[in-house]
Amino acid sequence: MMDKRGRNQLLPAAIALFCLVSFLFFDQPLTLFFHQLDTGLWHRVWEAITRAGQSEWYLAGGLLLYAGFRKRNRQISVKGLFLFSTVAASGLTSDLFKIILCRARPTLFLQQGIYGFDLFGWHFDHTWQSFPSGHSTTALSAALSLSLLFPRFRPAFIIAGVVIAASRVVLCQHYLSDIVAGSALGVATVALLYRRFFPPVAGDKPRLPMLSFDHSP
């Protein structure tokens, strides 16, 4: 029976394999399919959904909670700092990968037939920063962070995060492999920060995903 360490090593390999398979077989057909639908009301609805994946909402909200309650309510303040930290750290990591890997966005594929990576090409043009998806990284890091802080609403947060990530493919802004990689990066960042830097206020050993920051006497 595989131990926990073995599972933790297998999961990144499985995600990488899926991204490779998607790159080879799924990314282009899905983009062409959704490109045909990208008109009218369909586009406006998904455009509204995708705006919820913009990092500034969570960065500003987390920072305001931290600053506003730092002297009045430590629990709320720590929750705000946790949300800010997970979104900021995952977003910066995603941006670094984008610059190094330089993957052409679907826009270049649809307009010029350009598909693939230009590794270490150091493209700072938005059209060459497709992998991983920043919106997906933000959506899943925020969703998991909020689900840890407010476990009662965990299903709603996770579903919302997945739908926001999917919107990037529907709108032909990213490929499927982009959002899978971005989502995985967001989840991994939350797990790392939660375990190492944000133990519960009560001082118990943190365990994902059961603990919250609520204080118990």
Side-chain angles (χ1 to χ4, degrees), residues 26-132:
F26 303 144
D27 286 355
Q28 295 181 68
L30 278 174
T31 295
L32 292 172
F33 172 77
F34 284 114
H35 181 60
Q36 298 174 349
L37 302 176
D38 194 22
T39 57
L41 179 61
W42 172 268
H43 179 91
R44 291 193 295 272
V45 169
W46 285 100
E47 184 68 28
I49 292 172
T50 208
R51 290 194 190 102
Q54 295 175 192
S55 60
E56 54 263 33
W57 302 113
Y58 311 102
L59 293 173
L63 198 57
L64 286 173
L65 285 175
Y66 171 70
F69 289 91
R70 188 164 58 91
K71 296 182 178 179
R72 292 185 289 169
N73 189 315
R74 182 170 178 263
Q75 292 180 7
I76 296 178
S77 179
V78 169
K79 289 178 179 182
L81 182 60
F82 177 62
L83 178 61
F84 174 86
S85 300
T86 54
V87 173
S90 62
L92 289 172
T93 305
S94 174
D95 289 341
L96 179 60
F97 278 123
K98 286 172 181 286
I99 294 172
I100 293 174
L101 298 175
C102 297
R103 184 181 192 183
R105 284 182 181 265
T107 301
L108 288 178
F109 169 62
L110 293 170
Q111 296 178 355
Q112 303 178 40
I114 299 174
Y115 181 75
F117 294 82
D118 184 16
L119 189 61
F120 294 108
W122 305 112
H123 295 281
F124 292 94
D125 187 342
H126 174 76
T127 57
W128 281 95
Q129 297 182 1
S130 190
F131 187 92

Side-chain angles (χ1 to χ4, degrees), residues 182-204:
S183 300
L185 175 60
V187 171
T189 304
V190 172
L192 177 63
L193 293 182
Y194 183 70
R195 290 182 183 278
R196 295 199 175 185
F197 302 108
F198 289 90
V201 174
D204 297 329

